[in-house]
Amino acid sequence: MVMIAAIGLGATHLGRCPVQPNIPIYLIVLGGASVLSLSLTYTRTIWEEGFVCILCSTCMTVLHLFTFGWIIAGTTWVYPVYPPSYTHGEPRYCQKTTFQFAFAITTLLWVTMALMFTCGFCFTLLTCCKTVIARRRLIPNRNTFYGAVSEEPPAGDV
């Protein structure tokens, strides 16, 4: 729903941000790409295997890469004009709701991506540590047979 609101806000205020006219376009394209990505996800879920699934997965990958680049572009359009003037007729004017929505969405996207990468890094680090610890217990030595400890003393220790 948020991305549908982004499309609506961008379309209704398409010429109302002279300080940075790309902000409404940024909202329209970001919302459209998100809705398209969501519909491709549902399509891929319905077709669990085969050509349609592969095509949807490929399109989603390209779309996610495009969206990431588009967020970077939107960041370069939204943040440099902060704070704009909300008084119509001034040189740094931008429609208030459109700008604040674009600013909030962009900030939330960056915070979410940072959180995802941080959690992913922590999960990967935890998994690697658990693997190293478990592997130490499973490495056979001369007193063990594939990780099982022998009850009998070794042959030379009588």
Side-chain angles (χ1 to χ4, degrees):
M1 295 306 290
V2 173
M3 290 305 166
I4 293 173
I7 295 169
L9 270 174
T12 30
H13 301 116
L14 196 52
R16 298 186 184 163
C17 192
V19 69
Q20 182 50 267
N22 292 330
I23 291 176
I25 297 168
Y26 165 65
L27 288 175
I28 293 169
V29 173
L30 183 66
S34 297
V35 169
L36 182 61
S37 175
L38 188 61
S39 65
L40 284 172
T41 302
Y42 289 141
T43 304
R44 189 183 72 178
T45 304
I46 292 169
W47 299 85
E48 294 177 354
E49 55 187 46
F51 179 72
V52 175
C53 182
I54 294 170
L55 183 64
C56 286
S57 296
T58 304
C59 289
M60 283 175 50
T61 302
V62 170
L63 195 59
H64 288 310
L65 291 173
F66 169 78
T67 302
F68 183 69
W70 191 251
I71 291 169
I72 292 171
T75 301
T76 63
W77 295 326
V78 172
Y79 289 145
V81 298
Y82 181 81
S85 172
Y86 301 125
T87 308
H88 190 66
E90 290 191 14
R92 292 188 48 85
Y93 170 73
C94 191
Q95 204 280 332
K96 184 176 183 176
T97 308
T98 304
F99 182 80
Q100 288 180 345
F101 188 83
F103 187 85
I105 287 295
T106 306
T107 303
L108 284 173
L109 286 170
W110 282 114
V111 167
T112 303
M113 281 191 279
L115 187 63
M116 284 175 35
F117 283 121
T118 302
C119 289
F121 175 76
C122 290
F123 178 75
T124 304
L125 185 65
L126 183 65
T127 303
C128 288
C129 289
K130 280 186 171 184
T131 303
V132 167
I133 290 169
R135 197 164 172 215
R136 211 177 283 146
R137 288 181 286 165
L138 297 176
I139 295 175
N141 60 29
R142 64 186 193 114
N143 295 331
T144 64
F145 180 70
Y146 292 108
V149 178
S150 170
E151 296 290 330
E152 301 174 14
D157 296 338
V158 184

